[in-house]
Amino acid sequence: QQQVKQSPQSLIVQKGGISIINCAYENTAFDYFPWYQQFPGKGPALLIAIRPDVSEKKEGRFTISFNKSAKQFSLHIMDSQPGDSATYFCAAPVRSNQFYFGTGTSLTVIP
Amino acid sequence: NAGVTQTPKFQVLKTGQSMTLQCAQDMNHEYMSWYRQDPGMGLRLIHYSVGAGITDQGEVPNGYNVSRSTTEDFPLRLLSAAPSQTSVYFCASSRLQRPDTEAFFGQGTRLTVV
């Protein structure tokens, strides 16, 4: 039962390029959509999140875009760096504190 | 600042063996949860707890038990390990009753069942 569909599964980007990861959700308890970043051998950590009162949120080189009518949200990484190489998960809330996670995108940034 | 601590980091079990994965957090979070991470499947919720003495099932609870006797600890028990339980397990904690809460994850336990 896939509540959140994430694409692509893997992504290779040149240093300085733009990385784009997309997620689509079916249903959600409320509008709060976080992205988690996971480095090899580590647990996921919150990277950035968006609430419904805005359609876009930017933090440094990371931007979330949210399209409520299409039930889609995406993560854009501008000026991608080798240090951004990691797995990225989107998530959509089932209820307070509980989320469906996407299947993950493995990002590799080539120097 | 330890955050969420999981032990052990690695474990190999034989089919049919039982074991307990330990999880402890020092942030006084009410909500704790266990996930398993498998290639191409993302993070799937096994069990969760909203406070001491209260636990509930998640998406994939079969073959696992949990208990929550204190706010800090939330162990996950494998009753009779099966190869299908080979996975990386993550414990997470967060503050309760906040829709925009951040989940803090441990570093994971890589379990192999042979």
Side-chain angles (χ1 to χ4, degrees):
Chain A
Q1 185 177 356
Q2 184 60 267
Q3 296 287 342
V4 179
K5 294 184 179 180
Q6 183 173 345
S7 63
Q9 186 175 355
S10 63
L11 184 59
I12 299 175
V13 174
Q14 293 275 358
K15 178 183 175 181
I18 301 173
S19 304
I20 301 174
I21 304 170
N22 300 300
C23 280
Y25 62 94
E26 296 177 7
N27 297 296
T28 182
F30 48 86
D31 293 335
Y32 169 71
F33 300 96
W35 285 87
Y36 282 79
Q37 181 187 52
Q38 183 184 27
F39 292 105
K42 303 293 186 183
L46 182 66
L47 175 66
I48 186 173
I50 192 168
R51 293 185 216 178
D53 52 340
V54 295
S55 60
E56 184 176 285
K57 180 174 182 180
K58 183 176 180 179
E59 289 185 0
R61 296 182 294 108
F62 300 90
T63 300
I64 300 179
S65 299
F66 175 61
N67 185 330
K68 186 170 184 175
S69 61
K71 295 188 177 181
Q72 294 176 345
F73 57 108
S74 61
L75 175 69
H76 293 229
I77 306 174
M78 310 300 289
D79 187 25
S80 298
Q81 299 296 312
D84 297 331
S85 296
T87 299
Y88 293 82
F89 294 96
C90 61
V94 177
R95 59 178 67 90
S96 187
N97 293 93
Q98 190 170 337
F99 292 83
Y100 280 119
F101 284 85
T103 51
T105 296
S106 176
L107 171 65
T108 302
V109 181
I110 301 172
Chain B
N1 52 345
V4 179
T5 303
Q6 289 183 237
T7 55
K9 285 187 170 56
F10 302 93
Q11 183 70 50
V12 179
L13 285 180
K14 293 183 179 179
T15 298
Q17 287 185 319
S18 63
M19 81 159 293
T20 299
L21 279 63
Q22 301 291 344
C23 175
Q25 53 95 6
D26 61 0
M27 296 172 283
N28 202 32
H29 286 165
E30 304 92 340
Y31 188 91
M32 296 186 74
S33 53
W34 277 100
Y35 291 87
R36 60 178 290 173
Q37 182 178 15
D38 302 291
M41 301 291 288
L43 293 157
R44 292 183 293 169
L45 182 65
I46 304 171
H47 285 285
Y48 65 95
S49 169
V50 298
I54 305 171
T55 64
D56 205 346
Q57 296 181 352
E59 191 181 351
V60 288
N62 292 341
Y64 308 96
N65 271 1
V66 292
S67 60
R68 183 99 178 266
S69 57
T70 67
T71 298
E72 294 78 20
D73 300 300
F74 190 44
L76 178 72
R77 296 183 186 84
L78 280 70
L79 309 174
S80 177
S84 61
Q85 293 179 304
T86 293
S87 186
V88 181
Y89 292 85
F90 288 99
C91 177
S93 74
S94 57
R95 291 178 61 188
L96 194 62
Q97 295 176 345
R98 282 188 59 108
D100 58 347
T101 189
E102 174 182 357
F104 293 84
F105 286 83
Q107 296 214 353
T109 295
R110 182 173 295 273
L111 175 68
T112 302
V113 183
V114 298

